Amino acid sequence: MVFKKLVLMMMGCLGCAGQPTEPSTEKTESKSLIDESVVVTSPRVKLGDGRYLAYRERGVPKNISKYRIIIVHGFGSSKEMSFMASDELLDELGIYLLIFDRAGYGESDINSKRSLKSEASDIEELADLLELGSRFYVIGVSLGCYPAWSCIKHIPGRLAGVALVVPFVNYKWRTLPKDLVKNDYRKQLSRWVIWITCYARGILHWWLTQKVFPSASVLDGNPQFFCERDLEVLKNTPGYQLFTQDGLKDRSVFDSLCSDIIVAFGKWDFNPLELTDPYPQNESSVHIWQGVKDKVVPVQLQRHVSQRLPWIRYHEVPDCGHLLVYDTAVCEAVLTSLVLGEDPPLYKPKLADH
C-alpha cells in the first residue's frame, strides 16, 4: 500500500493525467517508434543524428501564415494533445500550429542521450527542417516547459515569443526560498521520483503492469491532485493510452518516460531563476500562465518565479487548475497575448494575499 501510494503521488505531481489526448479519427494506434512493426501514420522529419520526429499541423497553411508556433507537450502526452483554441481564431490571426512528438513519445524515435540542450536542439532543428523561418514561437505545457526553458537559455535569438503554460518547477533550482518549499511534500517526492527511476525502475515497471493494478488511469477522480475544474475535464475526456497497463508493458516506452523524468527533475546546467532578460529591447516576450487552483504546481511557486524574473509577463487563471489547455478561452488568450501582446484583465494576477 505504501508503494502504491508513492506511485500515485509521483504520477500525480508529474501531471501525467494533465493532458488527455484529443479523440483520434485514426484507427491505427500510435505508439513509441521502438517496435519496427508499428505502422507510422504521421509525417516525420529526419534529424541530423538519424532520429525521426513525428508531427501534426493545425491552423492556416504554413506558407500563408503570419505566426508560426511550435507546441511542446508534457509528460506522457504526444502530438495528439489538446490545445483548445478554435479554428476560427487561428484563421483570423493567421496562426500555424506545429505539434510534435518529443523524443521517445508517439511516433518519434527515442533519444538515448536526452538532455536539456538536446530538447532545445530538437525544436530548433525541427523548425529549420520545416522551414518555419529565422524566428518562431514556442508554447510549452506542464513538463513540456523544460524544453521551452532550454530554448530561452540556449536559442533565445530564434524565438519570437514563448509561453510557459502551467510550467512545472524543479525543486533543485538553488534559489528557491527554503521557507516556501520546506513544507511542500512535492519537494521530497521529486527526490523519490529520481531515486525510483534511477535505482528501482524494474520494480516500478512491474508494479505498474501487474494484473492487480487497474488498467485505467490511476488518477481519475482523485481530488488529491486535481481541483474540481480539472476533475470535470478528466471525467469527460479520454485519458492517456500510454498509462494503461498495455501501454506501459512496452519497456522501451516506459524507459523513455523515465529518461524524461530524470532530465526534468535532475540537476540542470543552468538555473532559470537566475536568467537575465534575453530581450532587453522587447524584441520578444516570455509569458507564464498559471491556474490559481493548480494542485500539481502550486501557485505560490509560480508567483515566486514571476517575482524573481520580472521581465516575464505573468498571468493567473482564477478557478482553474492544471488543465488550462482544455479551456478554449484560456488557450485563445495565450495565443493573442503571445502574438499580439494583449493582456486580458481577467487574467491579471491578484498578488495582494501573497
Side-chain angles (χ1 to χ4, degrees), residues 253-271:
V253 172
F254 177 77
D255 286 342
S256 183
L257 292 174
C258 289
S259 75
D260 206 19
I261 292 170
I262 291 170
V263 173
F265 285 90
K267 185 176 180 180
W268 289 24
D269 60 357
F270 69 96
N271 181 356

Side-chain angles (χ1 to χ4, degrees), residues 189-223:
L189 183 59
S190 67
R191 295 174 180 172
W192 276 105
V193 166
I194 296 296
W195 190 90
I196 289 174
T197 52
C198 288
Y199 303 111
R201 188 178 300 184
I203 296 175
L204 179 61
H205 184 253
W206 167 82
W207 178 262
L208 292 173
T209 56
Q210 46 83 31
K211 293 182 179 180
V212 177
F213 197 76
S215 59
S217 171
V218 297
L219 298 174
D220 286 351
N222 193 329

